[in-house]
Amino acid sequence: STQSTWVTKASQYRGVKRGLSETVRALDKKTAHLCVIAQDCDEPRYVRLIKALCQQNNVPLIQGVDRETIGQWAGLSRYNKENNLKKVIKCSSIAVVDFGDKTRALEFLKERIA
């Protein structure tokens, strides 16, 4: 999907902050360009905090994605020798601080969040 493309690309450039503390830190420092929060995050206080920081800092927020998918996007997947998905570490939130290369997927995303 388009979303997985730009997150994977950003992750390759170490441009993705993973988990609550890194995400909040990026939002607090105003280095986040985009944030993703999981729909199945089991801690409502985290969701409220990230939503408030995104709104305060005018950072686009993507919701409606599950923790497993966010974990895959963020590069928290393990593959076996045949390159089949073996395990995914779930992640409730990520912040993109560097998109890396300019791609068609990134341009598509920027048009949607502008």
Side-chain angles (χ1 to χ4, degrees):
S1 79
T2 302
Q3 291 173 331
S4 63
T5 302
W6 56 258
V7 173
T8 302
K9 193 58 99 170
S11 186
Q12 291 170 352
Y13 282 84
R14 298 178 191 250
V16 175
K17 302 300 179 187
R18 305 169 182 105
L20 178 70
S21 62
E22 287 187 22
T23 300
V24 168
R25 194 174 306 123
L27 288 166
D28 196 41
K29 289 182 175 181
K30 297 182 171 105
T31 58
H33 301 294
L34 178 82
C35 191
V36 182
I37 184 82
Q39 67 186 9
D40 56 346
C41 179
D42 52 2
E43 188 53 63
R45 292 179 304 161
Y46 295 163
V47 174
R48 284 194 304 270
L49 174 62
I50 289 175
K51 282 182 177 180
L53 286 170
C54 285
Q55 186 174 18
Q56 174 184 325
N57 297 325
N58 202 24
V59 174
L61 176 65
I62 294 177
Q63 302 176 77
V65 184
D66 61 60
R67 294 183 315 152
E68 188 168 322
T69 301
I70 294 174
Q72 285 180 306
W73 289 356
L76 300 173
S77 306
R78 305 289 179 254
Y79 295 88
N80 61 20
K81 292 177 184 176
E82 293 79 36
N83 208 28
N84 294 322
L85 185 61
K86 183 177 173 183
K87 181 181 180 180
V88 177
I89 298 170
K90 295 177 182 177
C91 184
S92 292
S93 63
I94 56 173
V96 178
V97 296
D98 182 357
F99 285 107
D101 288 341
K102 292 186 178 186
T103 62
R104 290 171 70 184
L106 176 58
E107 293 309 314
F108 176 83
L109 170 72
K110 285 184 175 180
E111 288 173 12
R112 298 298 181 267
I113 63 174

